[in-house]
């Protein structure tokens, strides 16, 4: 069993970032439907097995449009949601 296992999904659309499903410690997963117009999705998480894990934070691309220039332009416009990620509990 992990000390912590939290994650948050984010979906980039032409209208900006949309919050997706998430899981915090000691709670059930909250499922949020993915927007139809998503061009890029990622999951940011905090998974720590022991107190000695050097970097429990992770970022995982879940979906990326084949139109890389559109994704790049939208990230430039709305920012990189993963860049400022620290912990799911800090966003709740």
């Amino acid at each position: 069993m992990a000390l912590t296992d939290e994650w948050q999904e984010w979906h980039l659309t032409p209208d900006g970032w949309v919050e997706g499903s998430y899981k915090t410690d000691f709670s059930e997963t909250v499922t949020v439907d993915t927007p139809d117009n998503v061009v890029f999705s990622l999951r940011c998480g905090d998974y720590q097995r022991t107190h000695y894990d050097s970097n429990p934070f992770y970022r995982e691309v879940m979906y990326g449009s084949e139109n890389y220039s559109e994704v790049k332009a939208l990230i430039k416009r709305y920012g990189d949601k993963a860049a400022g990620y620290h912990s799911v509990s800090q966003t709740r």
Side-chain angles (χ1 to χ4, degrees), residues 19-52:
E19 184 176 8
S21 301
Y22 61 91
K23 167 80 171 75
T24 58
D25 285 339
F26 311 111
S27 67
E28 297 295 320
T29 298
V30 175
T31 303
V32 178
D33 291 336
T34 302
D36 292 333
N37 60 345
V38 66
V39 297
F40 183 74
S41 293
L42 59 87
R43 178 181 283 186
C44 300
D46 179 3
Y47 183 84
Q48 188 172 15
R49 290 180 301 256
T50 70
H51 292 289
Y52 304 105

Side-chain angles (χ1 to χ4, degrees), residues 50-82:
T50 70
H51 292 289
Y52 304 105
D53 284 350
S54 60
N55 186 9
F57 302 115
Y58 66 89
R59 291 128 181 101
E60 172 184 357
V61 174
M62 299 171 50
Y63 170 77
S65 168
E66 291 181 14
N67 186 346
Y68 180 73
S69 60
E70 178 185 22
V71 173
K72 188 175 177 180
L74 289 173
I75 289 174
K76 184 175 180 180
R77 179 174 183 183
Y78 295 111
D80 181 356
K81 199 64 166 172

